[in-house]
Amino acid sequence: MRLTKILLLTIAIFFASFSKAQMPDSKLSAVYTPEHLNNLKHNNPDAIEYFNFYVNNSFKITDLPQGKDLEKEELHKINPITKEITNEQIQMVDLVDFNPYLFSCKTDQNNRKYYSIGNTGKLLIMFSNKEIQEKFRNSKKIKK
């Protein structure tokens, strides 16, 4: 009887952790409709897992290096649906829970891209697609 309870509890914990891993990050709702996310959740959970990883691990924010001449672009807020640049100033609070879908940053297949972040004194580094995919593969190995 006790063994059955332990087994059932173990199975319940396994399924709870599995279903949680497939839940879309709230940042994804900036560009995807609830219907689209629900469809992905049921039909392509691997995509949800990758998108969740991307919105939290595709970039790094650091201090703008002094005396270093980096080829960089100015970061702008955008409308995530139309991709049009808005006139809103970027504030430090925008960087606390940064969502790359809300800004004009893009990734490159092989190279990192650099963006100066308004007058915050910060630099956004967008990792290359290769780096992101490698980090994602490594994160899946760690979870196993």
Side-chain angles (χ1 to χ4, degrees), residues 24-38 40 47-48 51 55 80-81 101:
D25 188 291
S26 62
K27 295 176 185 176
L28 298 178
S29 63
V31 287
Y32 299 109
T33 65
E35 295 80 19
H36 184 73
L37 290 172
N38 194 40
L40 284 175
I48 291 289
F51 293 157
V55 297
I81 306 301
Y101 289 126

Side-chain angles (χ1 to χ4, degrees), residues 64 73-76 89-91 95 115-123:
L64 198 58
E73 298 175 36
E74 181 69 31
L75 188 67
H76 299 280
Q89 278 291 94
I90 299 173
Q91 307 292 320
L95 307 180
Y115 295 88
S116 57
I117 307 174
N119 48 1
T120 63
K122 298 291 183 181
L123 178 75

Side-chain angles (χ1 to χ4, degrees), residues 41-53:
K41 182 179 164 188
H42 293 328
N43 298 318
N44 195 354
D46 290 341
I48 291 289
E49 187 177 6
Y50 182 77
F51 293 157
N52 284 347
F53 184 85

Side-chain angles (χ1 to χ4, degrees), residues 55-118:
V55 297
N56 293 298
N57 299 282
S58 61
F59 61 90
K60 179 170 112 175
I61 297 173
T62 186
D63 291 331
L64 198 58
Q66 299 300 317
K68 216 175 189 184
D69 191 26
L70 284 175
E71 188 175 317
K72 58 189 176 297
E73 298 175 36
E74 181 69 31
L75 188 67
H76 299 280
K77 286 187 177 185
I78 62 166
N79 177 315
I81 306 301
T82 65
K83 306 293 185 215
E84 292 176 356
I85 293 175
T86 69
N87 292 328
E88 290 182 63
Q89 278 291 94
I90 299 173
Q91 307 292 320
M92 288 298 284
V93 70
D94 295 320
L95 307 180
V96 173
D97 194 21
F98 186 77
N99 184 346
Y101 289 126
L102 301 177
F103 297 87
S104 62
C105 50
K106 295 183 175 119
T107 57
D108 180 84
Q109 182 59 33
N110 298 307
N111 301 306
R112 290 180 173 189
K113 293 189 76 173
Y114 301 93
Y115 295 88
S116 57
I117 307 174

